[in-house]
Amino acid sequence: RCGLSTGQVDRLTNNMTTKSWAAYSADGKSLYYLGEDSGVTRILRLDLDEMGMPSGSPVTIGQNLGALSSFWLGKDAIFFTSNRDKCIFNLYRMSLEGRGLTQLTNTFADVLSARPAPDEKTFYAVLYQHAQESLYSMDAEKMEKNGNPPLNQDFLADHFEAASKIIPAPTVQA
């Protein structure tokens, strides 16, 4: 971490594993992140003391999550993309403690990363299909109605036709 006003840099971890997608908990008492070691990806939580420094070792959150490609810390849940079902990357949700694992999408196109809008009513997801990455939006309410395992609903069909595709703006030539 780096103090914006002081420029002081504090090292929070001290090992050789790869770390990415770090996010502070809403109360600022923990830091969640993806850790990769020897090809195994895990969600880790590092508890922090009153000065924001580590107090103990990182703890693995959840189990049997498969390979993880993205992670987002919500208000009261962790959202992540994983290939744990049939080696296809889909969007999952679980509690901050690693319980209540729920698969939110069920598609044959890989969901590489996903993030909710600030109000958490819409999810934006990058899908990889037909050797191309595209950005889609999905209604979170419809995703919440999925069972576990999720249903193949029209808006989350294998080809995502009913999801709203976001078309990138053309590049302006000067």
Side-chain angles (χ1 to χ4, degrees), residues 14-87:
N14 193 18
N15 56 44
M16 297 301 291
T17 62
T18 302
K19 295 146 200 76
S20 60
W21 298 87
Y24 282 98
S25 60
D27 63 8
K29 294 181 179 180
S30 300
L31 183 69
Y32 289 80
Y33 60 94
L34 291 185
E36 188 269 323
D37 188 17
S38 302
V40 177
T41 314
R42 300 175 294 152
I43 296 174
L44 298 162
R45 183 189 73 228
L46 181 62
D47 292 330
L48 306 172
D49 64 19
E50 62 280 347
M51 300 298 292
M53 296 301 291
S55 64
S57 299
V59 175
T60 299
I61 303 298
Q63 56 185 334
N64 301 319
L65 301 181
L68 305 167
S69 64
S70 73
F71 155 84
W72 184 77
L73 191 61
K75 294 174 201 163
D76 56 4
I78 298 171
F79 298 90
F80 60 94
T81 52
S82 169
N83 71 346
R84 72 183 305 270
D85 181 37
K86 301 178 192 107
C87 291

Side-chain angles (χ1 to χ4, degrees), residues 113-142:
S113 63
R115 207 124 190 210
D119 64 5
E120 296 188 4
K121 291 184 179 185
T122 303
F123 271 85
Y124 296 94
V126 175
L127 274 74
Y128 182 78
Q129 61 182 0
H130 308 298
Q132 181 179 350
E133 292 179 9
S134 300
L135 180 62
Y136 290 84
S137 66
M138 298 174 283
D139 185 328
E141 183 178 316
K142 290 180 183 176

